[in-house]
Amino acid sequence: QVHLVESGGGLVPAGGSLRLSCAPSRRTFSMYAMGWFRQAPGKEREIVAAISWNSGNTYYTDSVKGRFTISRDNAKNTMYLQMSSLKPEDTAVYYCAADDTRNPGSIRTMRYAYDYWGQGTQVTVSS
């Protein structure tokens, strides 16, 4: 079982930036495809971005393209989401997710494809 821990959320004015981090609660040497999801009040949890183990493949939902950047540092067992030009509609609880993989270049974009989840971190963008 892998427990993921997110950090870096907070309150930021529109146009501002935040960087979210996600790491397992203990060091793991397994290979994981990873992703960021978000859930706003009254809405379904949706994919924001995904990244393969080798960082060779990434995915972004249309609404964040050009504003958000997903990355990872496997030596530090940490994944990041750099968010810039934030908008009030980006307000949500952000979750990181991971899934075991044997293919270092594979990514997951569907919620049900992920086995491990963090507890979430709140991002609030004020207008």
Side-chain angles (χ1 to χ4, degrees), residues 2-6 21-23 32-38 45 47 49-51 70 72 79 94-100 108 110-120:
V2 176
H3 297 282
L4 302 173
V5 181
E6 303 98 337
S21 300
C22 171
Y32 298 105
M34 299 188 76
W36 288 99
F37 288 73
R38 67 185 178 187
R45 190 173 301 187
I47 181 80
I51 188 167
I70 190 171
R72 65 191 297 166
M79 176 180 65
Y94 283 70
Y95 299 88
C96 69
D99 183 55
D100 297 288
R108 314 277 191 268
M110 304 301 291
R111 178 179 174 181
Y112 63 77
Y114 287 93
D115 286 335
Y116 310 114
W117 292 85
Q119 81 289 347

Side-chain angles (χ1 to χ4, degrees), residues 23-38:
S25 56
R26 58 179 175 82
R27 184 167 179 81
T28 173
F29 296 95
S30 297
M31 195 159 58
Y32 298 105
M34 299 188 76
W36 288 99
F37 288 73
R38 67 185 178 187

Side-chain angles (χ1 to χ4, degrees), residues 11-118:
L11 174 64
V12 62
S17 299
L18 280 176
R19 188 176 82 157
L20 305 183
S21 300
C22 171
S25 56
R26 58 179 175 82
R27 184 167 179 81
T28 173
F29 296 95
S30 297
M31 195 159 58
Y32 298 105
M34 299 188 76
W36 288 99
F37 288 73
R38 67 185 178 187
Q39 188 167 17
K43 294 188 176 181
E44 294 290 318
R45 190 173 301 187
E46 63 173 355
I47 181 80
V48 175
I51 188 167
S52 61
W53 170 257
N54 62 9
S55 299
N57 290 303
T58 58
Y59 167 87
Y60 296 93
T61 195
D62 286 346
S63 61
V64 308
K65 286 180 180 177
R67 300 189 298 121
F68 291 10
T69 302
I70 190 171
S71 62
R72 65 191 297 166
D73 183 339
N74 291 337
K76 296 182 179 179
N77 255 203
T78 303
M79 176 180 65
Y80 305 97
L81 185 68
Q82 178 67 47
M83 306 185 293
S84 302
S85 301
L86 282 161
K87 304 176 181 180
E89 50 264 44
D90 294 317
T91 295
V93 178
Y94 283 70
Y95 299 88
C96 69
D99 183 55
D100 297 288
T101 181
R102 295 183 178 180
N103 181 349
S106 67
I107 60 172
R108 314 277 191 268
T109 61
M110 304 301 291
R111 178 179 174 181
Y112 63 77
Y114 287 93
D115 286 335
Y116 310 114
W117 292 85

